[in-house]
Amino acid sequence: MNDADLLSGLTPAQREAVTHIDGPLLILAGPGSGKTRVVTHRIAYLLRRGVPGEQILGLTFTNKAAAEMASRVEQLVPGARVRLGTFHRFAAQFLRRHGRHVGLQANFTIYDKEDSLKGLRRAIAEAGVDLMNYTPDAVAAAISWAKNAFIQSHEYSPRDGSPIGSIVQKVYPLYQRWLSRSNAVDFDDLLLNTAVVLQRDPELRRDLDARHRYIMVDEYQDTNLVQYAIARALSIDYPNLAVTGDPDQSIYGWRGADLNNILEFERDFPDVRVVRLEQNYRSTKKILQAAAGLIAHNVKRKRKDLFTLNDDGADVRLVAYRDQTEEAEDVASQIQSALREGRRRARDFAVFYRVNALSREFELALRRRNIPYQIVNGVEFFQRREIKDLVAYLKFIQNPRDEVAFLRIVNTPPRGIGNTTLARVAEFARSQGWDIWTAAARAESIPGVQSRAASKLAEFVRLIDNLTAAASGPMEELLGCVLAETGYRELFRKSSAEEDQERLANVEELLTYARQFDEQHPEPGGLDAFLEEVSLVNDVDAWEGDDRVTLMSLHASKGLEFPVVFLTAVEQGILPHERSLKSNDQMEEERRLMFVGMTRAMEELQISYASMRDFRGRRGLTIPSPFLMELPKNGLQTHGRAAELAGTAARPPQTSDRREPPLRRAGNGQGPRLTTAAALAGSAASGPARTDDYAQDMLVAHPRHGVGRIVALSGSGENRKAVVDFGGRIGRVKFILSKAGLKPLKRSR
DNA sequence: TGTGAGTTGATTTTT
DNA sequence: TCAACTCACA
C-alpha cells in the first residue's frame, strides 16, 4: 500500500490526523467518526515514513480495543512490530522487569478483586478496626480511589471527620504489607507501581521515553491520574503523544477516570494540534440527532457538532411497557419477526441494559423463541470457581509466596488439612516473618500442629514440587498434570450432579484455551505469559462472527456498533443508577452512558422502560428516566404510555401516584467518594489553576518535566513561587506559579 | 475435619 | 433473588 492508498477516502480532518508526525496531537473523535481507522492509518503512515515499529506504543483501555487495533494494523502493514496493548498489560510487563524498585520479584502475582478482597479482610482483622456500617467492599473502593489518585499507603491521610478515611488510613498500609508478603499486586498497583518506578528512576524513564518515541493513548477521556502520569513520563523528551478520545463518552469516572485529563490536554501541551472528527459514518440522522440532543444537556464537555451524511432513517422508537416481561417478550418478538421475514440476521441485534442483572428476562424470552444469543461479560469465565481453583495451582507454582492461591488449593480437593491447622501455620509464619509456604514446608516443627495434619501438609508440598517439575512444559500439559495429580478431575467424574458436569465442561474449555495458547506461544516457559493473560483478560473472546443476538451492559457496548439496538430499562434508579442520583457529575456520567448506548445504533434504535419491574426480588412501580424527557421530540416515535413523555421536556416526571423505590441504606452517603473527591484537585474544569490552589506536598505536572512534588511555597498572589522536586536529574526547580502552567494533580490531604 | 442447613447481607459499571 | 458465610453436627 502506498501513501495515496493510505490517505484515499479520508476526510480532510482525518487526513490531518493521519499525517501528523511529531509533537502532541489531540483527536477529538465523536462516535462513529472513524477513529480506529484514523489511528491505524496513522500508525501505517508513521511506519511508511520510516519510524521503526518498536518505537510506536499504543495504549488502550480494553483488550478488545487493543486486539481490534492490532488486527487492523496487521492488515495495513503485515508484520509490523508495533506494540499495542492495554495500560495494565504494559504495566505488568514493565514491572516484571523493573518491579524490584518497588519490592516486587519478577514472578509476582496479579490479584483480581476477589483475591485482593481476601487480603483486605485479613488486613482489616489485623488492624482491629471497627468497620462501623461500612463493608469491606467500601474500604476496597476507598483504597482503590486513593491508588488511582496517586496516593500511596504511606502518603494517605484522611480528611478531617471522614470515618472511612480513618479506617483506610489504618488498613491501607497493612493491606499493602500483606500484598508484599504474597509478592502480589492488585489491578491498581500495576499502574501505580509503574508510575512510581518511572518517577523514582529518571534514567529508566529517559530510556523508555527514548524507546517509545511515538505514544498513542486511546479513549483518553477514561484515563485516571496514574495513567496520565505514565503516559506523561514517556512523552517528555519525545513529546509525540497522540491521544484520541471523546469527553462525551467518558463512562469510567467511578474508576478514577479524570475527565480533566482530556479537557485540559490543550493546557498541558500548548503547542498541541487538535483535530476534531465530527462526521459520523455509523448512524442515521435521526439516531444521531436524538443522541446529540440528549448529550447537549451535559455541562462538562467539549462541544462538538456531530453530523452525518447518512439517510434520515426511521424514527427512534420510545416505548413504555407494562413490566419487564412484556418488555423482553416484545423485544424478542420484534427480533423474531425480522428474522422470519429475512430482513435481518440475529447478529444485527443488540440489547443493552445498565446492569447485568437485567439480562435474565431477555435470555428467557429469546430462548423461548429459539433465537441464538450471546451474553457479553455475563458470569466471567475466569471468575468461575473451578477455573479459579485450577489457575490458583498455576499461580502458586509460579509464585510460592502467593497466599491467596495457597489457601485456595491447599485443601482443594479436600485432603484433610483444615482451618485449625492452617490458622496455626499462618500464625507461626507471621511470628517468624516467613511466608506461609515456607512455614507449611516445615509444618512438623510447628507447635500445635497435629502430626497427622503435618504429614498431610508434607504430602501437599510433595505434590506441588512434582507439579513444579512440569511447569516449563506446555500449558495444556501442565494443566493436565494438575487435574490428574490433584485428583481434581476425579472429583467431578464421580459426581453426576448437573452442576458438576457443567464445571467439568468449563475445565475442558480451559484446556482448549491452554492448547490455543500453546500454539501461539511455542517457546518454553510460557507460564508467566499464560498467567498474565489469564489475569488481565476477563473473558474468553467468544464466538466472534457467530450469528447471534448480543446482550450486554451499556459499558460493554462502547466501541461497538449494531444495525439495531434496543436500549432497555431506561428508568429512574437504573439509568441513571440510583447511586448516581446525588451528584451532578455522576448524573452527567449516566447521561454519557446513555449517549454511548444510543450511538451504537446504525439503523434502528428503540428505547424502552417498564412501568413496573421486579428487581432484586422485589416488585415496584418505576419512574421513567428523566433522560427520556431530554430527547428531542423531533424524529421520536412514542408508543403506549410513553406518549405522555414526549414533548414534556424539562418537566419533572414525578406524579403523585408513583412512588420512588426506596433508596437502600440512605444514611450511608459519605462513602469513599467524599474523601477522595476532596483528595483530587482541579475539579473545576475551566480556567487555569489559581495560585492558592497549590499546596505543600502536592503532586503537579509540568509540560516538560513531567510529574513532580511541591516541596516549598513562598510569596503571594501573582508572585507566589513554588519549588518542585521532579526527582533524578531534573531535581528541584523553582517556578512562578502564575506563569509556570503547573497542573495540580492532587491535594496531599 | 467435612458437610449441610440456615442465615445473613448485598446487590454497577472493569482492568 | 441469590450467593457467600456461619455454625452446628456427624
Side-chain angles (χ1 to χ4, degrees), chain A residues 454-513:
Chain A
S455 73
K456 301 271 189 198
L457 268 172
E459 228 170 274
F460 175 72
V461 170
R462 262 201 306 283
L463 171 71
I464 295 299
D465 283 343
N466 284 341
L467 290 173
T468 305
S472 54
M475 289 304 104
E476 191 188 7
E477 185 183 314
L478 177 56
L479 273 171
C481 290
V482 171
L483 279 167
E485 293 186 27
T486 61
Y488 205 97
R489 180 173 259 146
E490 271 316 291
L491 199 67
F492 292 143
R493 280 274 164 71
K494 280 190 295 200
S495 159
S496 59
E498 195 177 325
E499 197 189 13
D500 282 337
Q501 290 311 304
E502 199 175 309
R503 296 223 156 111
L504 191 56
N506 287 331
V507 170
E508 296 298 339
E509 193 171 336
L510 181 64
L511 285 170
T512 305
Y513 183 85

Side-chain angles (χ1 to χ4, degrees), chain A residues 17 77 161 172 392 395 474 495 535 581 637 705 720 733:
Chain A
V77 190
Y172 186 4
K395 283 185 165 178
S495 159
S535 304
L581 301 176
Q637 186 189 24
H705 301 320
R720 193 153 171 80
V733 184

Side-chain angles (χ1 to χ4, degrees), chain A residues 366-560:
Chain A
L366 291 169
R367 209 177 294 171
R368 263 197 283 277
R369 290 170 176 76
N370 284 320
I371 299 172
Y373 66 88
Q374 141 189 38
I375 296 192
V376 178
N377 293 352
V379 183
E380 292 160 15
F381 182 73
F382 289 106
Q383 297 296 332
R384 292 167 207 254
R385 182 151 56 105
E386 60 278 14
I387 302 303
K388 287 208 83 165
D389 285 347
L390 287 172
V391 170
Y393 273 98
L394 302 191
K395 283 185 165 178
F396 190 66
I397 289 166
Q398 185 212 27
N399 170 23
R401 284 169 56 191
D402 181 344
E403 187 179 307
V404 171
F406 175 83
L407 291 174
R408 187 165 195 115
I409 62 178
V410 66
N411 204 32
T412 310
R415 47 175 76 92
I417 303 168
N419 287 334
T420 325
T421 305
L422 290 175
R424 298 221 165 102
V425 173
E427 180 47 40
F428 190 71
R430 186 159 339 151
S431 71
Q432 300 294 310
W434 295 348
D435 58 80
I436 200 162
W437 171 243
T438 309
R442 295 164 172 71
E444 76 283 352
S445 57
I446 297 178
V449 173
Q450 307 283 325
S451 66
R452 213 170 67 112
S455 73
K456 301 271 189 198
L457 268 172
E459 228 170 274
F460 175 72
V461 170
R462 262 201 306 283
L463 171 71
I464 295 299
D465 283 343
N466 284 341
L467 290 173
T468 305
S472 54
M475 289 304 104
E476 191 188 7
E477 185 183 314
L478 177 56
L479 273 171
C481 290
V482 171
L483 279 167
E485 293 186 27
T486 61
Y488 205 97
R489 180 173 259 146
E490 271 316 291
L491 199 67
F492 292 143
R493 280 274 164 71
K494 280 190 295 200
S495 159
S496 59
E498 195 177 325
E499 197 189 13
D500 282 337
Q501 290 311 304
E502 199 175 309
R503 296 223 156 111
L504 191 56
N506 287 331
V507 170
E508 296 298 339
E509 193 171 336
L510 181 64
L511 285 170
T512 305
Y513 183 85
R515 187 181 321 124
Q516 285 166 357
F517 178 89
D518 288 335
E519 280 161 15
Q520 286 157 21
H521 301 77
E523 71 282 4
L527 183 56
D528 285 359
F530 185 71
L531 286 175
E532 187 167 301
E533 184 114 357
V534 167
S535 304
L536 295 178
V537 169
N538 61 344
D539 215 340
V540 191
D541 282 334
W543 310 282
E544 277 283 314
D546 265 19
D547 192 16
R548 296 159 181 271
V549 175
T550 302
L551 309 185
M552 64 172 122
S553 71
L554 282 166
H555 281 87
S557 76
K558 193 163 73 159
L560 305 178

Side-chain angles (χ1 to χ4, degrees), chain A residues 91-125:
Chain A
Q93 286 165 358
F94 174 82
L95 290 175
R96 297 271 173 226
R97 299 175 65 102
H98 307 294
R100 63 188 177 287
H101 291 78
V102 283
L104 287 170
Q105 293 177 291
N107 59 340
F108 67 84
T109 300
I110 301 166
Y111 282 161
D112 65 18
K113 218 179 144 188
E114 184 191 335
D115 296 338
S116 45
L117 202 57
K118 289 181 179 165
L120 186 65
R121 286 216 169 88
R122 184 160 294 234
I124 289 168

Side-chain angles (χ1 to χ4, degrees), chain A residues 318-322 609-612 621-622 624 638-646 655 657-658:
Chain A
L318 174 58
V319 188
Y321 293 107
R322 193 167 51 79
Y609 65 93
S611 308
M612 199 188 302
L621 292 175
T622 67
T638 55
H639 294 258
R641 298 224 274 141
E644 295 165 17
L645 297 174
T655 55
D657 61 331
R658 298 223 170 124

